[in-house]
């Protein structure tokens, strides 16, 4: 599952693909130049690396994702919570909230979300 671990630049690159797929490799080069300031060679190097890891596919100069963005986000989130909070979601939420306040509507949305994931 380590293949889903993306560094910051790989994730930003993947986000361009996820937002625009399917897209031609030439269009990807243009978008990466505009959004990331990358040269063509950098774009193709990262594309090749993510294709080799099975995250993206470049077939006939058409780039698509093999792994959905949500799957990468889930993996990264779980890794962060495990590493930083010993896997404790309540520990993460406590640290994240610290001195923040929720509106009544936000609190209700979170309650509903938590209820939807409760074990029976």
């Amino acid at each position: 599952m380590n293949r889903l671990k993306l560094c910051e630049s790989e994730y930003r690159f993947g986000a361009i693909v996820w937002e625009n797929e399917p897209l031609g490799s030439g269009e990807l080069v243009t978008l990466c130049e505009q959004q990331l300031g990358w040269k063509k060679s950098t774009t193709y190097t990262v594309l090749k690396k993510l294709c080799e890891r099975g995250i993206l596919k470049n077939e006939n100069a058409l780039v698509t994702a093999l792994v959905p963005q949500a799957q990468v986000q889930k993996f990264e989130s779980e890794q962060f919570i495990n590493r930083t909070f010993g896997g404790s979601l309540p520990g993460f939420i406590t640290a994240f909230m610290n001195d923040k306040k929720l509106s009544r509507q936000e609190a209700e949305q979170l309650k509903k979300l938590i209820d939807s994931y409760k074990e029976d």
Side-chain angles (χ1 to χ4, degrees), residues 74-91:
K74 180 181 183 293
F75 173 81
E76 291 283 347
S77 299
E78 288 172 349
Q79 292 295 306
F80 175 77
I81 291 171
N82 287 337
R83 182 181 70 248
T84 310
F85 300 96
S88 170
L89 185 57

Side-chain angles (χ1 to χ4, degrees), residues 2 12 16 25 49 58 92 97 107 109:
N2 274 346
R12 289 174 45 214
I16 291 171
S25 57
K49 183 177 178 182
N58 183 13
F92 165 74
M97 292 303 296
Q109 287 175 327

Side-chain angles (χ1 to χ4, degrees), residues 2-13:
N2 274 346
R3 74 183 179 98
L4 297 182
K5 184 177 175 80
L6 303 181
C7 68
E8 179 69 24
S9 59
E10 290 171 337
Y11 185 83
R12 289 174 45 214
F13 178 83

Side-chain angles (χ1 to χ4, degrees), residues 16-74:
I16 291 171
V17 174
W18 289 313
E19 290 171 18
N20 298 283
E21 70 175 317
L23 74 160
S25 57
E27 181 183 355
L28 180 59
V29 168
T30 300
L31 290 171
C32 287
E33 182 181 358
Q34 293 169 348
Q35 296 180 30
L36 304 174
W38 287 4
K39 296 187 182 314
K40 180 179 180 178
S41 59
T42 304
T43 298
Y44 281 117
T45 298
V46 176
L47 176 60
K48 181 180 180 204
K49 183 177 178 182
L50 294 181
C51 287
E52 287 171 351
R53 287 171 43 200
I55 294 170
L56 301 178
K57 179 171 84 170
N58 183 13
E59 192 171 88
N60 299 321
L62 188 67
V63 180
T64 56
L66 295 174
V67 176
Q69 185 176 22
Q71 187 177 348
V72 173
Q73 290 170 331
K74 180 181 183 293

